[in-house]
Amino acid sequence: MKLPKSLITSEQVTAKEKWLGYLLGPAGALLLNAVLATYLNVYYTDVLKLKGLWGGMFLFVFPIISKIVDAFTNVAMGRVIDRTRTKEGKARPWLLLSAILVPVTGILLFTVPESNDTVKVIWVMVSYNLFYSFAYTIFNMSHGLMVPLSTRDGKARGGLSVFNQITTIMMSGILVALLFPMVIMPIIDVDKSSWITLMTIISILALPLTLLEYFFTKERLTEEAGDRTDKTLSFKECAKIIFSDKYMVLIYLYFFVYTVGSCMKNIGLVYYCNYVLGTYNDGRTQMLISVIGGIPMGIGIFAVWPLAKRFGKRTVTMWAFVIYAIGSLICWLFPTNLVIMLIGQFIKNIGGLPCAYVFMALFADCLDHLEWKTGKRVDGNAMSIYNIIAVAMVGIITGVFNLLLFKTGYIEPIEFKAVASADYQAFANAASVIGSRIPQIPLGEIEANAKGIYTVAFRQPDSVKNMFTFAFVGLEVFTGILCALILRFIKVEKTIDKEQEEIKARHEAQSAEAAEIEE
């Protein structure tokens, strides 16, 4: 099948490519993923009420099993990408397929039918795996390779990495972290139909934007290799090549440690703001944490890359993680003090800037070093290992978090429908306790939403609040220190310029040799 051509024809990275292909193009799928990372578990626990299913084991076991499946599909997708041969590249063509699959499967995640527990379980497991193990794997693998395959120009590659990360920060740090808690969540609360409407709109946005990414990106490294095809290697052979290099091992270890901390933080954010620092969907607490803590991300757009060019990506990131750990420690010591929490979040996110903006450029340097060392380009398989770490940790951390919810005694909110409870106000004015559960705020002060539904959230046991606090701020004290220690040994930048020149010279010599043979 003949694929539509890229609208980028220049041999050098262009402004149009940066703005449309790397900034705007990924926005739809990344927005959907950011919402899911923060709120899908909330939907399962607070809207679908699945926390206690199978004695609390369902929400523990199913994410882990699903991510095992996801790991296999990532390996398969890496193999598929490395074997793909088209004039439009080996990764970009898969963006076209993901443009359709991501919206469809995103909608299925939330349209769980009102039925018995068996039907709900089947729907949740199937829809979750269709999205994460199939649709988003295809998008994420192909999208993730755009920066490494775009150019060997270190300056241009770094710029693309920054633009790429700006989109991620905008989606997760502005829209999801600010707009959702301040405006959207207080409106939709735990109303299922409102969730479905919202997520359908967000899912559909991914279609046109992902097409933008396809048309305004270009795989220059794939084109550089021309028609030359290397022997197809098995995943085992590729893994052996990848893990024979110390820099690849270290970059994966660093990413693993960072991912463990960030996954626990992401899943704990909403619960921490709802029950430790503020009240349920108060529209203020999470917004303040995100605004004050997220300001450094905006500053970082202008500051990080100049610092990385002067001192090196590894050095800047390494010392920044020390600051990251200090900020997390401040938050952990004073988890209920809003002012100190905001100061700590600000400091922590200053420390997180280099990791956010230059990681993919550092990863690309490691891939180039591997090609220089072995003569093999195994981008698809290398990215599949990267994604296996990412998705496996999401599943494992989600499962562990949900098990802790059940074991520590998390109390999910409940709904009252005014239509069915004419005496609700009299009940609310008199009651301060529902069973043994104490509402966060007096029932008489709770207002119904637009559909006449009252949402009542409860005070959590200290064991639950301590768990939320460790998840959101405590764990990253340790992961920040570990990341700094690992980065100390990743010194690929010292020789990468020379290695890239040698790789280019090899390709030119191979092309010249092939031309002589044809003549």
Side-chain angles (χ1 to χ4, degrees):
M1 183 179 72
K2 188 175 181 180
L3 296 170
K5 291 184 178 181
S6 171
L7 298 179
I8 300 297
T9 57
S10 171
E11 292 304 312
Q12 305 300 322
V13 174
T14 65
K16 186 186 295 184
E17 189 174 354
K18 290 180 181 179
W19 288 96
L20 297 180
Y22 289 85
L23 185 72
L24 186 58
L30 293 179
L31 171 60
L32 176 59
N33 186 57
V35 173
L36 296 178
T38 305
Y39 290 104
L40 182 59
N41 205 68
V42 175
Y43 183 73
Y44 287 156
T45 60
D46 293 6
V47 180
L48 298 183
K49 313 293 186 189
L50 301 177
K51 184 203 74 175
L53 201 60
W54 297 358
M57 293 303 292
F58 174 67
L59 287 184
F60 167 59
V61 173
F62 123 78
I64 296 176
I65 293 176
S66 297
K67 292 310 176 182
I68 292 173
V69 175
D70 202 356
F72 282 105
T73 59
N74 270 275
V75 171
M77 193 61 209
R79 303 278 295 145
V80 168
I81 287 176
D82 275 340
R83 292 181 177 186
T84 299
R85 302 284 187 271
T86 76
K87 291 183 178 180
E88 296 306 311
K90 60 182 180 179
R92 282 183 58 251
W94 297 101
L95 287 171
L96 282 177
L97 181 59
S98 70
I100 302 293
L101 294 176
V102 167
V104 172
T105 55
I107 294 170
L108 290 176
L109 281 170
F110 290 85
T111 52
V112 181
E114 293 292 342
S115 186
N116 58 52
D117 287 345
T118 301
V119 173
K120 287 182 180 179
V121 164
I122 293 172
W123 191 283
V124 167
M125 293 190 70
V126 171
S127 62
Y128 189 92
N129 281 283
L130 281 176
F131 181 83
Y132 280 109
S133 301
F134 184 52
Y136 198 74
T137 290
I138 294 174
F139 168 79
N140 203 34
M141 289 283 291
S142 49
H143 163 72
L145 284 171
M146 286 301 97
V147 171
L149 292 175
S150 62
T151 178
R152 290 196 194 276
D153 184 330
K155 182 178 179 181
R157 179 186 279 172
L160 293 179
S161 180
V162 169
F163 266 75
N164 221 9
Q165 195 58 31
I166 288 172
T167 303
T168 303
I169 299 301
M170 286 173 60
M171 296 304 105
S172 60
I174 297 178
L175 290 180
V176 176
L178 302 185
L179 186 62
F180 268 69
M182 186 168 57
V183 178
I184 295 175
M185 294 310 297
I187 294 175
I188 68 174
D189 268 327
V190 291
D191 181 55
K192 183 179 178 182
S193 61
S194 297
W195 276 86
I196 292 173
T197 300
L198 172 68
M199 297 311 300
T200 298
I201 294 170
I202 292 174
S203 296
I204 291 173
L205 280 174
L207 173 57
L209 293 176
T210 304
L211 291 177
L212 268 184
E213 182 173 8
Y214 172 81
F215 283 107
F216 289 94
T217 51
K218 181 180 176 70
E219 291 185 28
R220 293 177 180 83
L221 265 67
T222 306
E223 293 177 5
E224 180 184 288
D227 294 329
R228 179 176 58 85
T229 58
D230 295 326
K231 174 190 173 184
T232 301
L233 303 175
S234 68
F235 178 75
K236 182 179 180 180
E237 291 172 317
C238 289
K240 185 176 180 180
I241 290 172
I242 291 167
F243 288 108
S244 68
D245 181 70
K246 66 178 181 179
Y247 293 139
M248 292 301 298
V249 172
L250 288 169
I251 200 80
Y252 283 135
L253 180 60
Y254 153 67
F255 181 64
F256 167 80
V257 172
Y258 174 75
T259 302
V260 168
S262 61
C263 284
M264 188 63 85
K265 173 194 68 179
N266 290 340
I267 197 170
L269 168 64
V270 177
Y271 296 92
Y272 169 81
C273 290
N274 281 345
Y275 295 108
V276 179
L277 196 60
T279 56
Y280 197 81
N281 289 341
D282 57 28
R284 172 177 176 266
T285 306
Q286 190 179 334
M287 179 271 292
L288 287 173
I289 288 289
S290 301
V291 169
I292 303 300
I295 286 174
M297 289 300 175
I299 299 172
I301 297 173
F302 307 101
V304 170
W305 192 245
L307 287 172
K309 285 194 294 184
R310 180 171 181 178
F311 299 105
K313 297 184 282 290
R314 189 267 311 197
T315 301
V316 170
T317 306
M318 178 179 67
W319 286 107
F321 265 115
V322 176
I323 299 172
Y324 187 89
I326 292 171
S328 297
L329 180 60
I330 291 171
C331 294
W332 196 16
L333 293 174
F334 302 94
T336 60
N337 187 310
L338 180 61
V339 174
I340 296 179
M341 274 295 301
L342 294 176
I343 293 171
Q345 285 293 296
F346 185 86
I347 293 171
K348 186 183 90 167
N349 283 306
I350 287 177
L353 284 172
C355 174
Y357 285 112
V358 304
F359 170 78
M360 194 49 68
L362 187 60
F363 184 71
D365 286 348
C366 291
L367 286 176
D368 281 357
H369 169 78
L370 185 67
E371 182 184 5
W372 170 82
K373 178 180 176 181
T374 66
K376 303 292 183 182
R377 194 81 197 180
V378 289
D379 304 284
N381 286 281
M383 184 56 66
S384 70
I385 295 171
Y386 168 92
N387 278 346
I388 286 170
I389 295 171
V391 301
M393 287 306 100
V394 169
I396 292 170
I397 296 301
T398 300
V400 169
F401 185 90
N402 286 330
L403 183 63
L404 290 173
L405 281 180
F406 182 75
K407 294 295 185 181
T408 55
Y410 172 66
I411 307 168
E412 62 266 38
I414 62 173
E415 289 179 316
F416 286 108
K417 294 186 179 179
V419 174
S421 307
D423 61 342
Y424 173 82
Q425 198 61 45
F427 164 75
N429 290 335
S432 59
V433 177
I434 299 177
S436 61
R437 303 176 178 186
I438 303 174
Q440 283 187 327
I441 60 177
L443 296 176
E445 297 179 13
I446 299 175
E447 297 181 358
N449 64 18
K451 295 185 178 182
I453 298 175
Y454 297 87
T455 299
V456 181
F458 302 96
R459 298 180 192 175
Q460 301 294 333
D462 287 343
S463 56
V464 176
K465 291 192 286 187
N466 290 337
M467 188 270 284
F468 290 159
T469 301
F470 181 76
F472 183 58
V473 292
L475 181 59
E476 289 195 312
V477 174
F478 303 101
T479 58
I481 294 171
L482 279 174
C483 283
L485 291 173
I486 294 166
L487 282 162
R488 185 171 180 270
F489 300 98
I490 303 178
K491 301 177 181 180
V492 66
E493 292 171 277
K494 286 188 175 182
T495 57
I496 193 62
D497 290 340
K498 180 181 177 182
E499 291 171 358
Q500 287 173 337
E501 287 298 321
E502 290 184 16
I503 293 169
K504 188 176 180 180
R506 286 181 201 166
H507 288 169
E508 290 174 351
Q510 288 168 349
S511 296
E513 183 180 345
E516 289 179 4
I517 293 173
E518 288 181 4
E519 292 177 358

